[in-house]
Amino acid sequence: MSRHVRWQAILAFLGLLLVVALLSYATYTYTSQEVPARGGVYIEGVAGNPQYINPILCQYNEVDRDFCALIFNGLLKLDENGAWQPDLAESWEVGPDSDVYTFTLRSDIRWHDGLRITADDVIFTVQLLQDPDLPVLPDLASLWRSVIAEKVDERTVVFRLSQPYAAFPDYVTIRWFGVIPKHYWERYAPADIPNAQLNTQPIGSGRFKLVEIDSQHARLEPVLQQFDEPPYLDALEFRFFPDYPSILAAAEAGEVHGVSRILPEYQKQAEAIPDLQLFTSPMPGYTMVLFNFDSADAPFLAEQDVRQALAYGLDRDKLLSEIIPGVGLKADSPILPNTWAYNPDIPKYPYDPDKAIALLEDAGWVDVNHDGVREKDGQELAFTILSDDAPHSIAVSQAMAQDWARIGARVTPQPISFTGMVTDFLAPRHFDAALVSVELIGDPDPYPQWHSTQISPQGQNFGGWNNREADILMEQARLTSDQETRRQLYYEFQRIFATDLPALLLYYPLYTYGASTAVHDMEVGRLNEPADRFRTFAKWYINTRKITRTERRTLDLDKAPD
């Protein structure tokens, strides 16, 4: 009898285990999960209104540049590492002397109206950029006027340059060269193009098409054929605001999902908004103290020892962590880190005020009258530093002046309007030192800023640096498209630059923007342009739906590669 009872107990226990297992399996199988669902519109606030949604005219306005990058294409594009990749062109070839470039267009590219994009559109765009009646950026127009563009067939275009230029592919990316449709624009004379209605009703070829626009907003919808997978969101909408504080107020009120840009002076305000997540990415460029080698009031800035002493006497770590946190990453080279041409083994200038003082004293700079300012041959170690009038720029100038006062230099910050900086001071070289920012998009070629032939007013070498050894390296690097050869040339250029120190590099800028926590799967990589913040748009989602674990497993299997 006891054995029979014992077997019943065992069977009951096994039955209980089976029930528990079945319940556990059912719970696992039918427990719901939230997954992305299609639908919804991402609304972003931007400061200002578009004027020219036209890639041959959009370089002057950041809002225009955003629209052009989303709606149009260049022949090439830049990836997250700043390397050239196919865009409208499926391939390109460089002649042996780096002065002939041949581009083959993709066979599947079309305008948003359905017509094919051909070599005629490319040639037409080049001819407009060359036309003197069109208000194109002077440097851009000058480059294209030195190029002969030839159509080989419907899909092939050849560009013949007047001289070798290894960085030329930069100028066929959307930043400088967005192809426009000939069949819409050929009806306008070049002088009439800036006033054409098409500038705000564009027909492009990019991942988005403009479907609605007025003074308050614009709606862009994804062109599904341009995405590997259909985006979850139905549209991207821009709301236009007069300034960045207005956008932050709208974000706090839940009227927009995104804030296109968060300037340093508004970062704390943005961080205080509970449902706003901030994204930060390095931007290609650098901010520096530029020295004028021909300053009448501060001729000592042409002395290498003085420039190096100023570098050792500046606490850049404190500047970036306490004075302007979140604005940038410390910079040492005019060529960007994490790029193929960057040399990590160049002279650096860590904060060392004792070394700064020793350099000055060895060079004959002594505080004779004990007033805190060093003198040499009757000349005080005193100069003025210009900056724009943005709050963070003023803070930087004041902090630098305080650091340099500790080593015996009297520096006077002088903020001026951003618009007048280049035309009134830098180009005519009416300055001692200046806080200047430089954009570096694409190829690392430093020639425009640092070659002696580019000393203003001819070019952008506003400080007047003239170093023959550096000139030769920059010239040779332009003559070859072989990357390894160019790398070695640029490595040596950076060593010379860091030793001679024509400018004191401060930081590589950071771009910060914000988005509501209601928007999921937003990612940030390295940005070449602010519009690259939409690079991963296809993954973003706002809406969700519930599915069981079994359904989720089926979805995962469907997405798995074969």
Side-chain angles (χ1 to χ4, degrees):
M1 183 68 179
S2 61
R3 182 180 298 174
H4 179 68
V5 171
R6 189 162 53 250
W7 275 108
Q8 281 185 329
I10 292 171
L11 289 172
F13 179 69
L14 291 173
L16 180 61
L17 287 177
L18 179 62
V19 170
V20 170
L22 289 171
L23 287 174
S24 298
Y25 176 76
T27 300
Y28 173 82
T29 303
Y30 295 105
T31 298
S32 62
Q33 290 183 314
E34 285 195 345
V35 297
R38 305 205 180 278
V41 176
Y42 180 78
I43 302 172
E44 181 179 272
V46 298
N49 289 75
Q51 299 173 12
Y52 299 112
I53 309 177
N54 179 340
I56 61 176
L57 297 174
C58 70
Q59 286 81 17
Y60 295 95
N61 181 319
E62 190 168 298
V63 177
D64 288 345
R65 284 160 58 177
D66 279 353
F67 275 88
C68 285
L70 296 171
I71 295 172
F72 292 91
N73 298 91
L75 294 177
L76 302 179
K77 61 184 177 182
L78 298 173
D79 64 16
E80 288 191 47
N81 297 315
W84 301 312
Q85 300 294 338
D87 199 2
L88 291 179
E90 67 179 15
S91 63
W92 71 99
E93 296 178 359
V94 185
D97 296 325
S98 298
D99 61 351
V100 178
Y101 291 80
T102 303
F103 294 88
T104 302
L105 301 179
R106 288 161 39 198
S107 60
D108 61 340
I109 49 175
R110 293 184 179 274
W111 296 109
H112 291 158
D113 63 4
L115 294 183
R116 285 185 59 223
I117 300 172
T118 70
D120 290 327
D121 297 301
V122 178
I123 298 295
F124 176 75
T125 304
V126 172
Q127 291 172 342
L128 281 179
L129 288 167
Q130 294 172 334
D131 197 293
D133 291 332
L134 197 67
V136 178
L137 284 174
D139 289 347
L140 187 61
S142 177
L143 179 138
W144 281 107
R145 287 169 191 158
S146 69
V147 174
I148 298 173
E150 300 173 350
K151 172 186 172 181
V152 177
D153 55 42
E154 289 297 296
R155 292 179 52 206
T156 309
V157 176
V158 174
F159 296 129
R160 301 186 188 279
L161 281 55
S162 60
Q163 58 186 352
Y165 187 23
F168 177 73
D170 270 352
Y171 289 89
V172 295
T173 64
I174 187 60
R175 176 67 175 86
W176 304 112
F177 183 82
V179 180
I180 62 174
K182 177 181 178 181
H183 59 288
Y184 281 96
W185 285 103
E186 64 183 346
R187 71 191 72 168
Y188 296 96
D192 297 330
I193 283 179
N195 300 317
Q197 195 170 7
L198 272 174
N199 287 315
T200 52
Q201 296 178 352
I203 301 297
S205 56
R207 297 197 306 160
F208 294 84
K209 60 182 178 181
L210 182 68
V211 297
E212 190 176 299
I213 188 169
D214 58 31
S215 62
Q216 303 298 317
H217 85 294
R219 179 184 172 98
L220 280 67
E221 293 182 356
V223 180
L224 298 184
Q225 299 91 324
Q226 301 276 10
F227 290 85
D228 294 332
E229 293 185 11
Y232 291 109
L233 296 170
D234 291 331
L236 166 62
E237 182 176 320
F238 290 109
R239 297 272 177 88
F240 308 132
F241 291 86
D243 49 41
Y244 290 104
S246 302
I247 306 175
L248 289 172
E252 193 163 15
E255 298 170 3
V256 297
H257 296 111
V259 180
S260 63
R261 187 168 199 165
I262 297 170
L263 298 178
E265 51 264 41
Y266 303 121
Q267 181 140 345
K268 288 185 179 179
Q269 182 181 345
E271 290 171 348
I273 299 175
D275 298 324
L276 191 69
Q277 52 189 335
L278 302 188
F279 299 90
T280 299
S281 172
M283 286 293 289
Y286 53 84
T287 295
M288 62 181 171
V289 177
L290 182 64
F291 301 115
N292 185 355
F293 279 57
D294 296 315
S295 170
D297 296 327
F300 50 81
L301 292 175
E303 299 176 17
Q304 185 184 94
D305 289 339
V306 171
R307 297 193 301 275
Q308 290 183 346
L310 292 171
Y312 282 119
L314 180 61
D315 190 346
R316 289 180 296 160
D317 291 321
K318 179 181 178 181
L319 179 73
L320 294 172
S321 62
E322 298 181 19
I323 308 301
I324 50 168
V327 170
L329 304 173
K330 189 165 71 170
D332 291 296
S333 170
I335 290 180
L336 301 180
N338 303 317
T339 61
W340 59 267
Y342 175 72
N343 184 355
D345 300 319
I346 57 175
K348 304 289 200 306
Y349 295 88
Y351 181 52
D352 191 341
D354 292 336
K355 190 166 187 175
I357 290 169
L359 276 170
L360 291 173
E361 291 184 347
D362 288 346
W365 290 94
V366 182
D367 183 7
V368 177
N369 56 9
H370 305 291
D371 64 349
V373 181
R374 296 178 183 275
E375 299 90 20
K376 178 182 177 181
D377 300 330
Q379 169 87 51
E380 285 192 326
L381 188 62
F383 61 94
T384 298
I385 183 166
L386 302 180
S387 76
D388 62 47
D389 52 7
H392 72 279
S393 298
I394 295 173
V396 168
S397 296
Q398 291 173 342
M400 289 192 297
Q402 291 172 4
D403 275 358
W404 286 332
R406 297 186 184 98
I407 63 170
R410 183 174 67 235
V411 179
T412 304
Q414 182 181 340
I416 56 177
S417 70
F418 176 79
T419 53
M421 172 76 86
V422 174
T423 56
D424 297 338
F425 295 93
L426 296 183
R429 302 186 63 204
H430 293 158
F431 71 99
D432 301 333
L435 189 64
V436 177
S437 294
V438 175
E439 274 191 347
L440 289 177
I441 299 175
D443 192 89
D445 179 22
Y447 188 103
Q449 287 80 37
W450 300 112
H451 195 275
S452 62
T453 61
Q454 302 304 299
I455 294 174
S456 60
Q458 288 84 4
Q460 301 173 45
N461 184 351
F462 300 122
W465 188 44
N466 188 345
N467 185 301
R468 186 57 192 150
E469 191 178 355
D471 278 355
I472 292 171
L473 293 167
M474 288 185 278
E475 291 162 9
Q476 291 176 338
R478 283 191 153 197
L479 297 177
T480 175
S481 58
D482 180 73
Q483 191 174 96
E484 185 55 36
T485 301
R486 297 184 77 206
R487 185 200 315 274
Q488 296 305 319
L489 293 167
Y490 285 145
Y491 267 38
E492 181 62 13
F493 164 80
Q494 290 167 85
R495 186 194 63 77
I496 293 170
F497 185 98
T499 302
D500 204 15
L501 213 68
L504 171 53
L505 272 65
L506 300 180
Y507 59 86
Y508 304 113
L510 295 173
Y511 186 94
T512 301
Y513 61 102
S516 167
T517 53
V519 184
H520 306 285
D521 264 18
M522 294 187 72
E523 297 176 2
V524 178
R526 179 183 179 273
L527 306 182
N528 296 298
E529 287 267 30
D532 286 346
R533 64 189 183 274
F534 299 108
R535 185 185 283 130
T536 59
F537 177 86
K539 298 179 180 180
W540 303 359
Y541 66 94
I542 297 173
N543 298 337
T544 60
R545 62 187 178 94
K546 291 186 176 182
I547 61 171
T548 64
R549 290 180 182 267
T550 301
E551 291 172 317
R552 178 56 190 255
R553 185 170 181 273
T554 302
L555 285 175
D556 292 341
L557 288 173
D558 289 341
K559 290 183 178 180
D562 295 335

